[in-house]
Amino acid sequence: MVKEGRADDSVRRILHVDMDAFYASIEQRDNPALKGKPVAVGRRAGRGVVAAASYEARVFGVRSALPSHMALERCPELIFVPPRFDVYRAVSAQIHTIFRHYTEVIQPLALDEAYLDVTEQWRAYGSATAVAESIRWDIKQQTGLTASAGVSYNRFLAKLASGQRKPDGLFVISPRQGAAFVADLPVEKFHGVGPATTKRMHALGIHTGADLKSWTVPELRQHFGSSAQFYHDIARGEDHRPVEANRPRKSLGTETTFTHDVVEWDRLAAILKDIVRKLAAGCVQKRIAGRTVTLKLRYAGFHTVTRARSAAFPTVEEGVLLSMALELLRSFFPLDKPVRLLGLTISSLVPYDDGTLPVQMGLFE
């Protein structure tokens, strides 16, 4: 573990806490017969996909989003267990209760990870590293699960740090170490640089943080647009984004993978109707309304396309959402190939009060 360094009141203390193989670890915790064995959370049959994999399964190259048949080819002894999202959400809530004992400035990224800003609280524990250790201890004692943590002076480096000692580890990147740590790192390891951007960077001769640092903002903007400043900053170990507590949800979506490819309009329309029903119910439950609907369609060859349409006003009305969704689906016909997955997302969200019709809210915006 790297030491945190001398205290400096002008430096932020940011933690990134990431649960270790969260879904799979819960299944191993609740069923001792699974401990030490390769476990995949997901559906084994047909078009199933791995939602999460234990560390024993990852040794064989089994990862989340891997088709189940490929996972079994890599690890014939793989044990599939169906997901229990209600249990995962409950454990996640338990972990967030632990977080709130230390700080209210928490930005969840998923059920199993979050940023915490402990700039105002660290002195009571001696250091931000001590806060992270205490949080990891509490999680272990109260849930029986392990968490890894990264400690640094910004979000970008804290997330990089949490992955350095997995599982059940802690790593610190101090202000004196940040720039040098990033310089040697391959750009594909940067959080915020995805596969497509990595490919473009490699084509430009940008392979490491040091390579990226040699480019100016105007030069980066020519190739990466509005992301240029962010890439310029992180290449220097800088990230000024705050930890956003109570960050508003940007979208809500649901999707279905078919057991067999579908080409018929009637079947796809019926499936889409069921997806819309679930999405509308989710909006009402979360008290949000949306204006933009995006349809995702994945063909048999795994090629994925999306199309979107926006309404004049935010809505949660199932009929309105279905009309928009069917219009988007119709635009794909005649189909290029059979379809294996259909998904729908609603975005441009606003809060929705049961006593206020979304269309009325839109009229007065």
Side-chain angles (χ1 to χ4, degrees), residues 157-224:
L157 290 174
K159 185 164 177 67
L160 285 180
S162 68
Q164 297 300 305
R165 294 287 185 267
K166 271 189 163 290
D168 195 19
L170 180 133
F171 193 80
V172 180
I173 303 175
S174 72
R176 288 182 296 178
Q177 300 163 329
F181 183 87
V182 172
D184 295 331
L185 204 66
V187 291
E188 55 265 33
K189 299 291 186 181
F190 284 23
H191 178 60
V193 177
T197 301
T198 295
K199 186 175 180 180
R200 288 162 62 195
M201 286 187 174
H202 285 177
L204 294 167
I206 303 173
H207 297 274
T208 67
D211 295 333
L212 184 58
K213 187 178 179 180
S214 68
W215 286 60
T216 65
V217 172
E219 289 171 338
L220 289 170
R221 189 171 289 120
Q222 290 179 9
H223 299 278
F224 304 105

Coordinates of all heavy atoms in Angstrom, one line a residue, residues 157-224:
L157 N -8.2 9.6 -10.5 CA -7.1 8.8 -9.9 C -7.6 7.8 -8.8 O -7.1 6.7 -8.7 CB -6.1 9.7 -9.3 CG -5.2 10.4 -10.4 CD1 -4.3 11.5 -9.7 CD2 -4.4 9.5 -11.2
A158 N -8.7 8.2 -8.1 CA -9.2 7.4 -7.1 C -9.8 6.1 -7.7 O -9.6 5.0 -7.2 CB -10.3 8.1 -6.3
K159 N -10.4 6.2 -8.9 CA -11.0 5.0 -9.5 C -9.8 4.2 -10.1 O -9.9 2.9 -10.0 CB -11.9 5.4 -10.7 CG -12.6 4.2 -11.3 CD -13.8 4.6 -12.1 CE -14.4 3.4 -12.8 NZ -15.0 2.4 -11.9
L160 N -8.8 4.8 -10.6 CA -7.7 4.0 -11.1 C -7.0 3.2 -9.9 O -6.7 2.1 -10.0 CB -6.6 4.9 -11.7 CG -6.9 5.4 -13.1 CD1 -5.8 6.3 -13.6 CD2 -7.1 4.3 -14.1
A161 N -6.9 3.9 -8.8 CA -6.3 3.3 -7.6 C -7.0 2.1 -7.1 O -6.4 1.1 -6.6 CB -6.1 4.4 -6.5
S162 N -8.4 2.2 -7.1 CA -9.2 1.1 -6.5 C -8.9 -0.2 -7.3 O -9.2 -1.3 -6.7 CB -10.7 1.4 -6.5 OG -11.2 1.5 -7.8
G163 N -8.5 -0.2 -8.5 CA -8.3 -1.4 -9.3 C -6.9 -2.0 -9.2 O -6.6 -3.0 -9.7
Q164 N -6.0 -1.3 -8.4 CA -4.6 -1.7 -8.4 C -4.4 -2.9 -7.4 O -3.4 -3.6 -7.6 CB -3.7 -0.5 -7.9 CG -3.7 0.7 -8.8 CD -3.2 0.3 -10.2 OE1 -2.1 -0.2 -10.4 NE2 -4.0 0.5 -11.2
R165 N -5.2 -3.1 -6.4 CA -5.0 -4.1 -5.4 C -6.1 -5.1 -5.3 O -6.4 -5.7 -4.2 CB -4.6 -3.5 -4.1 CG -3.3 -2.7 -4.0 CD -2.1 -3.7 -4.1 NE -0.8 -3.0 -4.0 CZ -0.1 -2.5 -5.0 NH1 -0.5 -2.7 -6.2 NH2 1.0 -1.9 -4.8
K166 N -6.9 -5.2 -6.3 CA -8.1 -6.1 -6.2 C -7.7 -7.6 -6.2 O -6.7 -7.9 -6.9 CB -9.0 -5.9 -7.4 CG -10.1 -4.8 -7.2 CD -11.1 -4.7 -8.3 CE -12.3 -4.0 -7.9 NZ -13.1 -4.7 -6.9
P167 N -8.5 -8.4 -5.5 CA -9.6 -8.1 -4.6 C -9.1 -7.7 -3.2 O -8.0 -8.1 -2.8 CB -10.4 -9.3 -4.7 CG -9.4 -10.4 -4.8 CD -8.3 -9.9 -5.7
D168 N -10.0 -7.1 -2.4 CA -9.8 -6.9 -1.0 C -8.5 -6.1 -0.8 O -7.7 -6.4 0.1 CB -9.8 -8.2 -0.2 CG -9.9 -8.0 1.3 OD1 -10.4 -6.9 1.7 OD2 -9.5 -8.9 2.0
G169 N -8.3 -5.0 -1.5 CA -7.1 -4.2 -1.4 C -7.4 -2.7 -1.3 O -8.5 -2.3 -1.5
L170 N -6.3 -2.0 -1.0 CA -6.4 -0.5 -0.9 C -5.1 0.0 -1.5 O -4.0 -0.5 -1.3 CB -6.6 -0.1 0.5 CG -6.7 1.4 0.7 CD1 -7.8 1.8 1.6 CD2 -5.4 1.9 1.3
F171 N -5.3 1.1 -2.3 CA -4.1 1.8 -2.9 C -4.3 3.3 -2.9 O -5.4 3.8 -3.0 CB -4.0 1.3 -4.4 CG -2.7 1.6 -5.1 CD1 -1.6 0.9 -4.8 CD2 -2.6 2.7 -5.9 CE1 -0.4 1.2 -5.5 CE2 -1.4 3.0 -6.6 CZ -0.3 2.2 -6.3
V172 N -3.2 4.0 -2.7 CA -3.2 5.4 -2.6 C -2.4 6.0 -3.7 O -1.3 5.6 -3.9 CB -2.7 5.9 -1.2 CG1 -2.7 7.4 -1.1 CG2 -3.5 5.3 -0.1
I173 N -2.9 7.1 -4.3 CA -2.1 7.9 -5.3 C -2.1 9.3 -4.7 O -3.1 10.0 -4.7 CB -2.7 7.8 -6.7 CG1 -2.8 6.4 -7.2 CG2 -1.8 8.7 -7.6 CD1 -3.5 6.3 -8.5
S174 N -0.9 9.8 -4.2 CA -0.8 11.1 -3.7 C -0.6 12.1 -4.7 O -0.3 11.8 -5.9 CB 0.3 11.1 -2.7 OG 1.6 11.1 -3.4
P175 N -0.8 13.4 -4.4 CA -0.5 14.5 -5.4 C 0.9 14.4 -6.0 O 1.0 14.8 -7.2 CB -0.8 15.8 -4.6 CG -1.7 15.4 -3.5 CD -1.3 14.0 -3.1
R176 N 1.8 14.0 -5.2 CA 3.2 14.0 -5.7 C 3.4 12.8 -6.7 O 4.3 12.8 -7.5 CB 4.2 13.8 -4.6 CG 4.4 15.1 -3.8 CD 5.4 14.9 -2.7 NE 4.9 13.9 -1.7 CZ 5.7 13.5 -0.6 NH1 6.9 14.0 -0.5 NH2 5.2 12.6 0.2
Q177 N 2.5 11.8 -6.6 CA 2.6 10.6 -7.5 C 1.7 10.6 -8.7 O 2.0 9.9 -9.7 CB 2.3 9.4 -6.7 CG 3.2 9.2 -5.4 CD 2.6 8.2 -4.5 OE1 1.3 8.1 -4.4 NE2 3.4 7.5 -3.8
G178 N 0.7 11.5 -8.7 CA -0.3 11.4 -9.7 C 0.2 11.5 -11.2 O -0.1 10.6 -12.0
A179 N 0.9 12.5 -11.5 CA 1.4 12.7 -12.9 C 2.2 11.6 -13.4 O 2.1 11.1 -14.5 CB 2.1 14.1 -13.0
A180 N 3.2 11.1 -12.5 CA 4.1 10.0 -12.9 C 3.3 8.7 -13.0 O 3.6 7.9 -13.9 CB 5.2 9.9 -11.8
F181 N 2.3 8.5 -12.2 CA 1.5 7.3 -12.3 C 0.8 7.2 -13.6 O 0.7 6.2 -14.2 CB 0.5 7.3 -11.1 CG -0.3 6.0 -11.1 CD1 0.1 4.9 -10.4 CD2 -1.6 5.9 -11.7 CE1 -0.7 3.7 -10.3 CE2 -2.3 4.8 -11.7 CZ -1.9 3.7 -11.0
V182 N 0.2 8.3 -14.0 CA -0.5 8.4 -15.3 C 0.4 8.3 -16.5 O 0.0 7.6 -17.5 CB -1.4 9.7 -15.3 CG1 -2.0 9.8 -16.7 CG2 -2.4 9.7 -14.3
A183 N 1.6 8.8 -16.4 CA 2.5 8.9 -17.5 C 2.8 7.5 -18.1 O 2.9 7.3 -19.3 CB 3.8 9.6 -17.1
D184 N 3.0 6.5 -17.2 CA 3.4 5.2 -17.6 C 2.2 4.3 -18.0 O 2.3 3.1 -18.4 CB 4.2 4.5 -16.5 CG 5.5 5.2 -16.3 OD1 6.0 5.8 -17.2 OD2 6.0 5.1 -15.1
L185 N 0.9 4.8 -17.7 CA -0.2 3.9 -17.9 C -0.7 3.9 -19.3 O -0.8 5.0 -20.0 CB -1.4 4.5 -17.0 CG -2.5 3.5 -16.6 CD1 -1.9 2.5 -15.6 CD2 -3.6 4.3 -15.9
P186 N -1.0 2.7 -19.9 CA -1.6 2.6 -21.2 C -3.0 3.4 -21.2 O -3.7 3.3 -20.3 CB -1.8 1.1 -21.5 CG -0.9 0.5 -20.5 CD -0.8 1.4 -19.3
V187 N -3.3 4.1 -22.3 CA -4.5 4.8 -22.4 C -5.8 4.0 -22.3 O -6.8 4.4 -21.8 CB -4.6 5.7 -23.7 CG1 -3.5 6.8 -23.6 CG2 -4.4 4.8 -24.9
E188 N -5.7 2.7 -22.7 CA -6.8 1.8 -22.6 C -7.2 1.5 -21.1 O -8.3 1.0 -20.8 CB -6.6 0.5 -23.3 CG -5.4 -0.3 -22.9 CD -4.2 0.0 -23.9 OE1 -4.1 1.2 -24.3 OE2 -3.4 -0.9 -24.1
K189 N -6.3 1.8 -20.2 CA -6.6 1.6 -18.7 C -7.2 2.9 -18.1 O -7.6 2.8 -17.0 CB -5.3 1.4 -18.0 CG -4.5 0.1 -18.4 CD -5.3 -1.2 -18.0 CE -4.5 -2.4 -18.4 NZ -5.2 -3.6 -18.0
F190 N -7.3 4.0 -18.9 CA -7.9 5.2 -18.4 C -9.4 5.0 -18.3 O -10.1 4.7 -19.3 CB -7.6 6.4 -19.3 CG -6.2 6.9 -19.2 CD1 -5.1 6.2 -18.8 CD2 -5.9 8.2 -19.6 CE1 -3.9 6.7 -18.7 CE2 -4.6 8.7 -19.6 CZ -3.6 8.0 -19.1
H191 N -10.0 5.4 -17.1 CA -11.4 5.4 -17.0 C -11.9 6.6 -17.8 O -11.4 7.7 -17.6 CB -11.8 5.5 -15.5 CG -13.3 5.6 -15.3 ND1 -14.1 4.7 -15.7 CD2 -14.0 6.6 -14.8 CE1 -15.4 5.0 -15.4 NE2 -15.3 6.2 -14.8
G192 N -12.8 6.4 -18.7 CA -13.3 7.4 -19.5 C -12.8 7.4 -21.0 O -13.2 8.1 -21.8
V193 N -11.9 6.4 -21.2 CA -11.4 6.2 -22.6 C -11.8 4.8 -23.0 O -11.2 3.8 -22.5 CB -9.8 6.4 -22.6 CG1 -9.3 6.0 -24.0 CG2 -9.4 7.8 -22.2
G194 N -12.8 4.7 -23.8 CA -13.4 3.4 -24.2 C -12.6 2.8 -25.4 O -11.6 3.4 -25.9
P195 N -13.1 1.6 -25.8 CA -12.4 0.9 -26.9 C -12.3 1.7 -28.2 O -11.2 1.7 -28.9 CB -13.2 -0.3 -27.1 CG -13.9 -0.5 -25.8 CD -14.1 0.8 -25.2
A196 N -13.3 2.4 -28.6 CA -13.3 3.2 -29.8 C -12.3 4.3 -29.7 O -11.6 4.6 -30.7 CB -14.7 3.7 -30.1
T197 N -12.3 5.1 -28.6 CA -11.4 6.2 -28.4 C -10.0 5.7 -28.3 O -9.0 6.3 -28.9 CB -11.7 7.0 -27.2 OG1 -13.1 7.5 -27.3 CG2 -10.8 8.2 -27.0
T198 N -9.8 4.5 -27.7 CA -8.4 3.9 -27.6 C -7.9 3.6 -29.0 O -6.7 3.9 -29.3 CB -8.5 2.6 -26.8 OG1 -8.8 2.9 -25.4 CG2 -7.1 1.9 -26.8
K199 N -8.7 3.1 -29.9 CA -8.3 2.8 -31.2 C -7.9 4.0 -32.0 O -6.9 4.1 -32.7 CB -9.5 2.1 -32.0 CG -9.1 1.6 -33.3 CD -10.3 0.8 -33.9 CE -9.9 0.3 -35.3 NZ -11.0 -0.5 -35.9
R200 N -8.7 5.1 -31.8 CA -8.3 6.4 -32.4 C -7.0 7.0 -31.9 O -6.2 7.5 -32.7 CB -9.5 7.4 -32.3 CG -10.7 7.0 -33.1 CD -12.0 7.7 -32.6 NE -11.8 9.2 -32.6 CZ -12.6 10.0 -32.0 NH1 -13.6 9.5 -31.2 NH2 -12.5 11.3 -32.1
M201 N -6.8 6.8 -30.6 CA -5.6 7.3 -30.0 C -4.4 6.6 -30.5 O -3.4 7.1 -30.8 CB -5.7 7.3 -28.4 CG -6.6 8.3 -27.8 SD -6.5 8.4 -26.0 CE -7.5 9.8 -25.7
H202 N -4.5 5.3 -30.5 CA -3.4 4.4 -31.0 C -3.1 4.8 -32.5 O -1.9 4.8 -32.8 CB -3.8 3.0 -30.9 CG -3.7 2.4 -29.6 ND1 -4.1 1.1 -29.3 CD2 -3.4 3.0 -28.4 CE1 -4.0 0.9 -28.0 NE2 -3.5 2.0 -27.4
A203 N -4.1 5.1 -33.3 CA -3.8 5.5 -34.7 C -3.0 6.8 -34.8 O -2.3 7.0 -35.7 CB -5.1 5.6 -35.4
L204 N -3.2 7.6 -33.7 CA -2.5 8.9 -33.7 C -1.1 8.8 -33.0 O -0.4 9.8 -32.8 CB -3.3 9.9 -33.0 CG -4.6 10.3 -33.7 CD1 -5.5 11.1 -32.7 CD2 -4.3 11.1 -34.9
G205 N -0.8 7.6 -32.5 CA 0.5 7.4 -31.8 C 0.4 7.6 -30.4 O 1.4 7.8 -29.7
I206 N -0.8 7.7 -29.8 CA -1.0 7.9 -28.4 C -1.2 6.6 -27.7 O -2.3 6.0 -27.9 CB -2.2 8.9 -28.1 CG1 -2.0 10.2 -28.9 CG2 -2.4 9.1 -26.6 CD1 -3.2 11.1 -28.8
H207 N -0.2 6.1 -27.0 CA -0.4 4.8 -26.3 C -0.3 4.9 -24.8 O -0.8 4.0 -24.1 CB 0.8 3.9 -26.8 CG 0.7 3.6 -28.3 ND1 -0.1 2.6 -28.8 CD2 1.3 4.2 -29.4 CE1 0.0 2.6 -30.1 NE2 0.9 3.5 -30.5
T208 N 0.3 5.9 -24.3 CA 0.4 6.0 -22.8 C 0.0 7.5 -22.4 O -0.2 8.3 -23.2 CB 1.9 5.8 -22.4 OG1 2.7 6.9 -22.9 CG2 2.4 4.5 -22.9
G209 N 0.0 7.6 -21.1 CA -0.3 8.9 -20.5 C 0.7 10.0 -21.0 O 0.4 11.1 -21.2
A210 N 1.9 9.5 -21.0 CA 3.0 10.5 -21.5 C 2.8 10.9 -22.9 O 3.0 12.1 -23.2 CB 4.4 9.8 -21.3
D211 N 2.4 10.0 -23.8 CA 2.1 10.3 -25.2 C 0.9 11.4 -25.2 O 1.0 12.3 -25.9 CB 1.6 9.1 -26.0 CG 2.8 8.1 -26.1 OD1 3.9 8.5 -26.1 OD2 2.5 6.9 -26.2
L212 N -0.1 11.1 -24.4 CA -1.3 12.0 -24.4 C -0.9 13.4 -23.9 O -1.4 14.4 -24.4 CB -2.4 11.4 -23.5 CG -3.7 12.1 -23.5 CD1 -4.3 12.3 -24.9 CD2 -4.7 11.3 -22.6
K213 N 0.0 13.4 -22.9 CA 0.4 14.7 -22.3 C 1.1 15.6 -23.3 O 1.1 16.8 -23.2 CB 1.3 14.4 -21.1 CG 1.7 15.6 -20.3 CD 2.5 15.3 -19.1 CE 2.9 16.5 -18.3 NZ 3.7 16.2 -17.1
S214 N 1.7 15.0 -24.3 CA 2.4 15.8 -25.3 C 1.5 16.6 -26.3 O 2.0 17.4 -27.1 CB 3.4 15.0 -26.1 OG 2.7 14.1 -26.9
W215 N 0.2 16.3 -26.2 CA -0.7 17.0 -27.1 C -1.4 18.2 -26.5 O -1.7 18.1 -25.3 CB -1.8 16.0 -27.6 CG -1.3 15.0 -28.5 CD1 -0.3 14.0 -28.4 CD2 -1.9 14.7 -29.9 NE1 -0.2 13.3 -29.5 CE2 -1.1 13.6 -30.4 CE3 -2.9 15.3 -30.6 CZ2 -1.4 13.2 -31.7 CZ3 -3.1 14.8 -31.9 CH2 -2.4 13.8 -32.4
T216 N -1.5 19.2 -27.2 CA -2.2 20.4 -26.7 C -3.7 20.3 -26.8 O -4.2 19.4 -27.5 CB -1.8 21.7 -27.5 OG1 -2.3 21.6 -28.8 CG2 -0.3 21.9 -27.5
V217 N -4.4 21.1 -26.1 CA -5.9 21.1 -26.1 C -6.4 21.3 -27.6 O -7.3 20.6 -28.0 CB -6.5 22.1 -25.1 CG1 -8.1 22.2 -25.4 CG2 -6.2 21.7 -23.7
P218 N -5.9 22.3 -28.3 CA -6.4 22.5 -29.7 C -6.1 21.3 -30.6 O -7.0 20.9 -31.4 CB -5.6 23.7 -30.1 CG -5.3 24.5 -28.9 CD -5.0 23.4 -27.9
E219 N -5.0 20.7 -30.4 CA -4.7 19.5 -31.2 C -5.6 18.3 -30.8 O -6.1 17.6 -31.7 CB -3.2 19.0 -30.9 CG -2.2 20.0 -31.5 CD -0.8 19.6 -31.1 OE1 -0.6 19.0 -30.0 OE2 0.2 20.0 -31.8
L220 N -5.9 18.1 -29.6 CA -6.8 17.1 -29.1 C -8.2 17.4 -29.6 O -9.0 16.5 -30.0 CB -6.8 16.9 -27.6 CG -5.5 16.3 -27.0 CD1 -5.5 16.5 -25.5 CD2 -5.4 14.8 -27.4
R221 N -8.6 18.6 -29.6 CA -10.0 19.0 -30.0 C -10.2 18.7 -31.5 O -11.4 18.3 -31.8 CB -10.2 20.5 -29.7 CG -11.7 20.9 -29.9 CD -11.9 22.4 -29.5 NE -11.8 22.5 -28.0 CZ -10.9 23.2 -27.4 NH1 -10.1 24.0 -28.0 NH2 -10.9 23.3 -26.0
Q222 N -9.2 18.7 -32.3 CA -9.4 18.4 -33.7 C -9.8 16.9 -33.9 O -10.5 16.6 -34.8 CB -8.1 18.6 -34.5 CG -7.7 20.1 -34.6 CD -6.4 20.2 -35.4 OE1 -5.8 19.2 -35.9 NE2 -5.8 21.4 -35.4
H223 N -9.4 16.1 -32.9 CA -9.7 14.6 -33.1 C -10.8 14.1 -32.1 O -11.5 13.2 -32.4 CB -8.5 13.8 -32.9 CG -7.4 14.1 -33.9 ND1 -7.4 13.6 -35.1 CD2 -6.3 15.0 -33.8 CE1 -6.3 14.0 -35.8 NE2 -5.6 14.9 -35.0
F224 N -10.9 14.8 -30.9 CA -11.8 14.3 -29.9 C -12.9 15.3 -29.4 O -13.6 15.1 -28.4 CB -11.0 13.8 -28.7 CG -9.9 12.8 -29.1 CD1 -8.6 13.2 -29.1 CD2 -10.3 11.5 -29.4 CE1 -7.6 12.2 -29.5 CE2 -9.3 10.6 -29.7 CZ -8.0 10.9 -29.8

